Amino acid sequence: MAAITLVEAVAQALAYEMQHDDSVLILGEDVGINGGVFRATLGLEKRFGKQRVIDMPLDETSIAGITIGLAVQGMKPVCESQFAGFIYPMLEQISCHGARLRSRTRGRLTVPAVWRAPWGGGIHAPEHHSDANEHLFANIPGLRVVLPSSPARAYGLLLAAIRDPDPVIFFEPKRIYRLDKEEVPDDGEALPLDVCFILRDGSDVTLVTWGSQVKETLEAAHALAKEGIHAEVIDVVTLTPIDFDTIATSIAKTKHCVIVHEAPKTAGFGAEIAARVVETCLYDLLAPVERVTGPDTHMPLLRLETKYLPSVERIMDAARRTLAAS
Amino acid sequence: MAAITLVEAVAQALAYEMQHDDSVLILGEDVGINGGVFRATLGLEKRFGKQRVIDMPLDETSIAGITIGLAVQGMKPVCESQFAGFIYPMLEQISCHGARLRSRTRGRLTVPAVWRAPWGGGIHAPEHHSDANEHLFANIPGLRVVLPSSPARAYGLLLAAIRDPDPVIFFEPKRIYRLDKEEVPDDGEALPLDVCFILRDGSDVTLVTWGSQVKETLEAAHALAKEGIHAEVIDVVTLTPIDFDTIATSIAKTKHCVIVHEAPKTAGFGAEIAARVVETCLYDLLAPVERVTGPDTHMPLLRLETKYLPSVERIMDAARRTLAAS
Amino acid sequence: MSVITTFKIEYVQYLDAEGKETRNDLPAFTKDLDHMVALYKSMFSTRVFDAKAVSLQRTGKLGTYPSCLGHEAAHIGIGSAMRAEDVLAPSYRESGIQLYRGVQPREIYLYWGGDERGSDYQHEPARHDFPCAVPIATQCLHAAGSALAFKLRGEKRVAVCTLGDGGTSKGDFYGAINVAGAQNLPLVAVIINNQWAISVPRQKQSGATTLAQKGIAANLYCVQVDGNDLIAVRKTVNDALERARAGKGGSVIEAVTYRLSDHTTVDDARRYRDDREVEEAWTKEPMKRLRHWLLGKGVWDDAKEEAWKNACDRRMEDETMAYLETKTQPVTALFDYTFAQLPVDLARQREDALSREKLHG
Amino acid sequence: MSVITTFKIEYVQYLDAEGKETRNDLPAFTKDLDHMVALYKSMFSTRVFDAKAVSLQRTGKLGTYPSCLGHEAAHIGIGSAMRAEDVLAPSYRESGIQLYRGVQPREIYLYWGGDERGSDYQHEPARHDFPCAVPIATQCLHAAGSALAFKLRGEKRVAVCTLGDGGTSKGDFYGAINVAGAQNLPLVAVIINNQWAISVPRQKQSGATTLAQKGIAANLYCVQVDGNDLIAVRKTVNDALERARAGKGGSVIEAVTYRLSDHTTVDDARRYRDDREVEEAWTKEPMKRLRHWLLGKGVWDDAKEEAWKNACDRRMEDETMAYLETKTQPVTALFDYTFAQLPVDLARQREDALSREKLHG
Ligand SMILES: Cc1ncc(C[n+]2csc(CCOP(=O)(O)OP(=O)(O)O)c2C)c(N)n1
Ligand SMILES: Cc1ncc(C[n+]2csc(CCOP(=O)(O)OP(=O)(O)O)c2C)c(N)n1
Ligand SMILES: [Mg+2]
Ligand SMILES: [Mg+2]
């Protein structure tokens, strides 16, 4: 079995599920013959036909609303927003209907849809292509927000997302689309939604993160270990509904917490983690929680991009600072 | 001088500014002869003409984008979204251009626009009319989010918002549109943006809130006083950019904090306040921070509406709990 | 300069305001006079239902309600042209179509009375229809998505959405017809042009001479029809449905009618529109012309009308009772339909709410 | 059935692919042959600019870049028809129009090289234009808003937006033309139909026979024009601008052309389109036909072309140098254009970033 990248794992999950469930179909811009601008749907049109991999006219509002219509009719649409930065026009449909139809009709109509979107910065993409806007969806009830950070988790969680009877926003950290490879058996085994994944055990500080920042956070943990600081690394993965218990258990052990994400700090999803820490783990904490995030500014064009993104250095500094503070 | 309601204060501020600045104009749905569905623009078309109070075709995307075009051309548009629940289609324009054009052009083009929207629940409105979605805008850089809770603050802050050279989202808590009256001199005096307002001094617990929940929070503080608990009440008012210093100073004194808001809890703006508390005030805190919020569910239709909204009871319970915990 | 393509918009009417036939090629279904009486009765009961809703609101027993007074021909024309297996995605004002498709008056009362169970329609075919959409024009895309599902599965079903004149300005409508045109979907979009979008008159919405011509942007079949003429609406929608069912693609139908009521029960239309315009519109309203036509055919009379009125009144009383007797949902209902299975965190919030409820009520 | 309104779409062309006049009523401006040569030179320098951008990207000196190869007639036609006081809201591919209006090549390179200062155009009239818009069709509404401002202030200015064939599917375009029609705004929307939206061909975007007919939905003046024919574009846009300036309302112009390049430098169009289609498109490309026409008029020759080519090359070398020498902004630039005045909280974040920069670089 060859090792595959994260984006290949996405394609593998899509193919698996299309093969095993006739009601799964893909729609979006350039998802057909082109296989998506990142090749996440590569080869699927050829394999499953134009009836199941549908190139849509260029209107995100339409694509989102049609996805809902398809889902209500019993299909399992996997809808691609070409970039997370172009997902905004989908918001009314997702918030008012996608996430709400079950509640609106007391369960009569449901929306088993997945909205995928390549997410975040770091690939020197043009303006507007690098938004990290997971927070936008995290306050919408009835929606799952999932952000995997490895090929295996991308595969297992995308399967879970498609099979889930409720709508899922599935963000794919495009900076690490092709960064690492791992062997991912194409066995159709889903991974559980709604749980955090502990990627590294540690006793001194809990590093909480998701998406592409998992990479820098793991690197920071590795480097910190050389300094004798043992960091536990938690990949939140499903932002909502959140599994805070895993985080709380870790903090009970480490007494220190650093949260890392790429989106702007204020009202980013890191705030929710920190809030729960102060609500639930206050007596465990020995030092202030730190957030290492993008600043409250727009993602710059490519020349300054790396200055914007949280770095290994910053994560290490924050970890050291929180330990020094206790 | 007659006492006026919050919605009358909005109308008064609009009229004042239109009178004194020719570049101010209003656009939205039903803002003209109808004066808006809440009468916030009542009489303005008659007084200033159809050239300055413009009934737009029914498309929020258009209205938001045209507002940006007007603002770039040197107008000061005040754009109404008829309800906050219908603001979603405006998001792409506001996020990608309204809040970003200054940065995108290094200050060459700017967007001195205000987007007003009646916000929140509690008036037994139909489905979709009661969303409290301030968090959606709070993570967008380059934007101010303002949510006044009294006639005087509505007047002074709306003037400030219109005069501000940057875009402002101005949410109006419609549940208290007509609840209380106060005398608001029509003197064109703006109030400061970017600062919290301390509405009640207290030494035992800091209650942080905004929008219509200011009412219940003040009532809770009043009732708690009878029990010998002295609550300080802070109206955040400008959510972003946040004035956290005022909150931190209060917590340094009271050592206890309860945050109250109407929106769903997870990733609501209360999370940001709580996050800053644990980042900045940890050593002051004697007990966990409490959030009293809407649940992570959709605002229900009217029969269950009051069960959804934070109540005086719940705020009092939370305050008592946090004090008992220390 | 060479002309590369041309378009025209036609107008369809069979009965004038007085119920006189304006052409001599009435569609075949009009021959079945029992059926025509049944359709008239449906229009009538829609009106009784609607008046009851308004009066319930006036007496504090219903929340804000958008009356469909004047839309009866459009509603029953659409409802009767559709087949059971078709799907409807209506806006909030189209109760008449919903009733025709089996939504119970008590359900609509319950919905506007503030209870989500009102959208859990118990009877087919309504049970597979969409609930009414409040965010303007969003339903058009649900219909387009449904139409796409039908096409992909080779089902001979059509998705019908209805929207207002105001709704035609919103991108969702345009997106729906554009996709329908590009993908040849069985979508029928019926614009119920009642001349007003709250206080905004039709001509402020668009410079277009007709709203039907908006469909030219998507190359759909476009027709304008007298929306107060049941026969015209029924026939036109029927043609559009048949085209769609035959794989010939989507349609945009503009049914020209009038909002005889305020926008909703919290609106006062006299603030922004002329009484004379409303009086004038009353002379063209849909019930009268069909009644005259049926009277002329000798299949209807005052006694029948009186009897039917009484039957409708009784029915609406029963429905009202059933509605008013429906107990409010428990506080747990806030939580129980958010996800198929309650996530852990939400289950805790539910527990909290339940214990608070026990404590404080 | 009575016809209530009819529409037609006309097609405008003056020069065929070989530069032969296809009609004998060429517009007056073509008499000024010096001017025609100048326009040809602008098209030419656009192409040189564009090729340079592509090669900068290939050598790692530019980020992703969307080539405008093949759009030159559309660009210079639009640019030369506009007046300085008009305003342009372009999409990302319309560098030629921007250059014509005074944007410097170094600015465009800087922008695609990843520096916001590339959108801080230093020269009028571009200085008052919008920067190019990446989120599809959003610029249409900025143009509509500008047009509204002009109308309200009684200024005789016109707002022009350009968008792609793909862009015509997005609600923003529809919203812009709808408002322009409803409010009679001086808006000219030029669709640069290059047949492709990344990998999606024109016929998948819409069932419409022409994209120009989309303007019928808004009752705008609608024309389809040969987008490879500079004379046709210039004339048609000119007419539309004059109509708008005279208060006669907005237009939708479809300029039919072809994207001779990949979508961007990170795209490989051979994945999804036939080489033969591209070869065929090259036979109709815009430069050749105008060159032939000018050659025929005796005002252009190979020596002049060679000289101009060299001049363009030198210019682009200078511009490239200027671009490459532009130092990256300091880290504080992340913060300094977020608000007119830095809020307290953001000022602290800026301080943090600055001290980290000093520490780690
Ligand atoms: C997206 C959105 N914006 C605004 C509103 C508020 N609103 C409710 S009805 C209405 C007017 C609708 O007019 P029209 O489409 O003609 O339908 P009608 O009410 O006449 O049936 C408006 C603006 C809404 N419900 N949804
Ligand atoms: C809202 C939005 N969605 C998706 C994209 C990604 N995207 C960039 S260009 C493009 C195709 C545009 O095609 P067209 O409008 O024909 O313009 P062209 O590139 O041919 O000039 C797409 C889908 C985007 N930039 N914005
Ligand atoms: Mg209407
Ligand atoms: Mg194109």
Side-chain angles (χ1 to χ4, degrees), chain B residues 86-140:
Chain B
F86 305 133
I87 206 169
Y88 304 105
M90 296 192 168
L91 212 77
E92 179 179 57
Q93 285 286 351
I94 293 176
S95 167
C96 296
H97 298 298
R100 235 183 274 217
L101 262 172
R102 175 188 293 282
S103 174
R104 292 186 58 217
T105 62
R106 302 286 95 167
R108 182 171 64 86
L109 303 183
T110 60
V111 183
V114 176
W115 278 271
R116 295 179 41 246
W119 166 99
I123 62 163
H124 280 13
E127 207 176 1
H128 295 285
H129 284 67
S130 302
D131 290 14
N133 45 19
E134 65 276 21
H135 64 281
L136 268 188
F137 297 90
N139 190 253
I140 299 177

Side-chain angles (χ1 to χ4, degrees), chain D residues 259-278:
Chain D
R259 196 191 78 204
L260 291 170
S261 65
D262 292 331
H263 171 65
T264 64
T265 48
V266 296
D267 177 55
D268 175 5
R270 283 166 309 174
R271 298 170 59 85
Y272 51 78
R273 71 177 180 186
D274 204 321
D275 280 349
R276 275 166 309 185
E277 183 184 300
V278 183

Side-chain angles (χ1 to χ4, degrees), chain C residues 164-166 192 194-197:
Chain C
D165 41 311
I192 303 195
N194 64 11
Q195 313 303 332
W196 292 90

Side-chain angles (χ1 to χ4, degrees), chain B residues 172-183:
Chain B
E172 298 163 9
K174 62 179 182 284
R175 180 161 61 92
I176 58 171
Y177 252 164
R178 299 195 162 78
L179 203 74
D180 292 314
K181 292 191 176 198
E182 79 185 300
E183 292 191 356

Side-chain angles (χ1 to χ4, degrees), chain B residues 15-56:
Chain B
Y16 184 93
E17 210 55 11
M18 292 182 79
Q19 182 69 42
H20 291 84
D21 182 346
D22 278 353
S23 63
V24 177
L25 61 84
I26 289 169
L27 69 165
E29 294 157 6
D30 303 290
V31 293
I33 185 171
N34 201 32
V37 293
F38 290 103
R39 312 290 172 252
T41 56
L42 192 66
L44 298 180
E45 181 192 279
K46 195 158 176 204
R47 183 158 158 205
F48 298 103
K50 284 188 211 290
Q51 302 266 329
R52 296 186 63 197
V53 185
I54 305 175
D55 276 334
M56 295 294 291

Side-chain angles (χ1 to χ4, degrees), chain D residues 52 105-106 109 310-326:
Chain D
K52 184 77 205 171
R106 69 186 69 182
Y109 294 154
N310 292 336
C312 290
D313 285 345
R314 276 196 307 279
R315 166 113 198 267
M316 295 314 154
E317 282 311 320
D318 292 349
E319 292 290 323
T320 300
M321 286 299 282
Y323 153 59
L324 292 173
E325 280 164 6
T326 310

Side-chain angles (χ1 to χ4, degrees), chain C residues 2-8 216 219, chain D residues 6-11 208-213 216 224 254:
Chain C
S2 59
V3 172
I4 39 176
T5 175
T6 61
F7 306 94
K8 62 175 190 283
I216 294 174
N219 249 27
Chain D
T6 62
F7 306 94
K8 63 172 189 286
I9 300 294
E10 290 175 340
Y11 178 75
T209 320
T210 65
L211 295 177
Q213 81 200 50
I216 294 174
Q224 193 187 62
E254 177 190 7

